[in-house]
Structures are given as C-alpha cells and as structure tokens.
C-alpha cells in the first residue's frame, strides 16, 4: 500500500528563521510528487510538481526537492503570510492516477 | 483570476437524506474531481471525471455517490442516502490537463457537509 508521511506535524518558526518540511513516501514507482498549501477553511492550492530524483522547483521563498525516498520543502526567511498547512501528495506509476495525500505539516510563522 | 466555486459553503442534513453538492469548475478546464477531508484527517480522492464520464474512482466512491455535469458549467456530487460518516469537507477541483497534469489542479473552497 502506498504511504505518504509528513513531518513534523506542526512547526513554529520566527519570521526569518529558515527550515524544511519533510515528505517521505513508499510507492512501487513514482509518477509524481506534489506540494500544496492549504489555508484554514480553504481548498488546497497547488505549489509544485516533482517527477524525478534530483529535481528542484522554486517559488518565492519556497524550494522543493526530491530524492528516491523523500521530498523536502525548504522555506527560506519565512514571513507570517507563509503560515498554512503544507500538503504532500504522491502519484504512483501504473494505470491509476489517484493521488495519496499525507496528513500535512501545519506551519506557523511568528512576526 | 479564474477560480473554482462551490455551493453551498455549509450543508446540514439528516441521516438518510440526499444531498447535492455543486461546483463550477474553471471554464476552460476539461478534468474535474471531487475530494473529501474528514476533520483532522487526510485529503482523500473520490472521483475524476472527463468527457462526461468517470475516469477513476476510489473505494470510498460507492453506489451512494454519483457525479454529473448537467450543463456546460456545473459539476455535481450527489450522495443518495447520507450517513453520519459522510460528514466532511468536500472539495471540487479542476485541471486543464489530465495524466501527468493531473495534480496541477485548482481547488474550490469546499462545502462542509454535516450529517445529523
């Protein structure tokens, strides 16, 4: 069974304090790994897609990286507006395109 | 900026009643999806829809559930006889592409379904 585990469950940072969120996965073969941001009471907002080990994507203060077993979402000099839950989802290779989501990391950035 | 909209934002119903959740996907998108998120739990895929038919569905999407695109703009999820465990946030999403573009999806704000 495909597994997606995100850590930590919750993270509190001071504004400007860089850190990383982890998404480890166990799938028979990876088709794609996806990062989303979810604000309270709202739907997930797509951030990045990563397809192969070694790939990196950047957007403003966020950088996503991928290895064969895990992905990291690096947040550089975060601001309070980066506070949200960050979700990771994995799509396994094969006939199905159904994604498996992790539980998310709740990030709070204090001013 | 185009966005996915969902109505109602909150639906309260009695166990055993039918509910219809409505979504208006982004106008040029061709692929449509429903997800649910039980409070405090993971986002779970329910169904994907393309070219007026279901592309894929999860184990959750049993005979109690159905989807429809009744006209050129709306996409609906019907739950025929609601159960307590159907209480969740239901998200609609759409994407321009399928396949590898599957997860470049735009999500709506969700409908919170409460079954009493």
């Amino acid at each position: 069974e495909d597994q997606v585990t995100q850590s930590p469950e919750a993270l509190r940072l001071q504004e400007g304090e860089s850190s990383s969120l982890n998404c480890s996965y166990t799938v028979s073969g990876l088709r794609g790994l996806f990062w989303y941001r979810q604000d309270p009471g709202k739907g997930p907002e797509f951030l990045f897609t990563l397809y192969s080990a070694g790939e990196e994507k950047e957007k403003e203060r966020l950088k996503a990286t991928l290895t064969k077993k895990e992905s990291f979402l690096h947040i550089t000099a975060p601001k309070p507006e980066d506070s949200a839950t960050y979700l990771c989802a994995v799509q396994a290779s094969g006939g199905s395109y159904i994604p498996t989501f992790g539980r998310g990391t709740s990030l709070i950035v204090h001013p | 900026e185009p966005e996915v909209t969902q109505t109602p934002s909150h639906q309260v119903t009695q166990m055993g009643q039918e509910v219809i959740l409505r979504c208006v996907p982004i106008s040029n998108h061709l692929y449509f999806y429903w997800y649910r998120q039980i409070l405090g739990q993971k986002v779970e895929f329910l169904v994907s829809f393309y070219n007026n038919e279901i592309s894929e569905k999860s184990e959750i999407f049993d005979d109690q559930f159905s989807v429809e695109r009744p006209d050129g703009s709306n996409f609906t999820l019907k739950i025929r006889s609601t159960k307590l465990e159907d209480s969740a946030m239901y998200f609609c999403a759409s994407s321009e592409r399928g396949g590898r573009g599957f997860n470049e999806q735009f999500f709506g704000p969700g409908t919170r379904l409460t079954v009493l």
Side-chain angles (χ1 to χ4, degrees), chain B residues 5-18:
Chain B
T5 59
Q6 291 186 242
T7 55
S9 57
H10 191 190
Q11 173 88 49
V12 181
T13 189
Q14 295 291 325
M15 190 170 55
Q17 295 296 303
E18 174 182 288

Side-chain angles (χ1 to χ4, degrees), chain A residues 2-4 23 25-36 49-51 66 88-102, chain B residues 33 35 45 48 56 95 97-105:
Chain A
D2 299 340
Q3 299 278 356
V4 180
C23 172
Y25 60 91
T26 307
V27 294
S28 55
L30 183 69
R31 174 176 276 139
L33 184 142
F34 314 94
W35 283 99
Y36 293 85
T49 306
L50 301 166
Y51 293 110
L66 181 65
C88 169
V90 164
Q91 204 177 44
S93 58
S96 171
Y97 288 88
I98 294 176
T100 300
F101 281 79
Chain B
Y33 316 87
Y35 293 83
F45 171 89
S48 59
E56 278 196 278
S95 65
R97 299 176 291 154
R100 275 191 131 196
F102 186 100
N103 276 284
E104 294 181 13
Q105 298 175 17

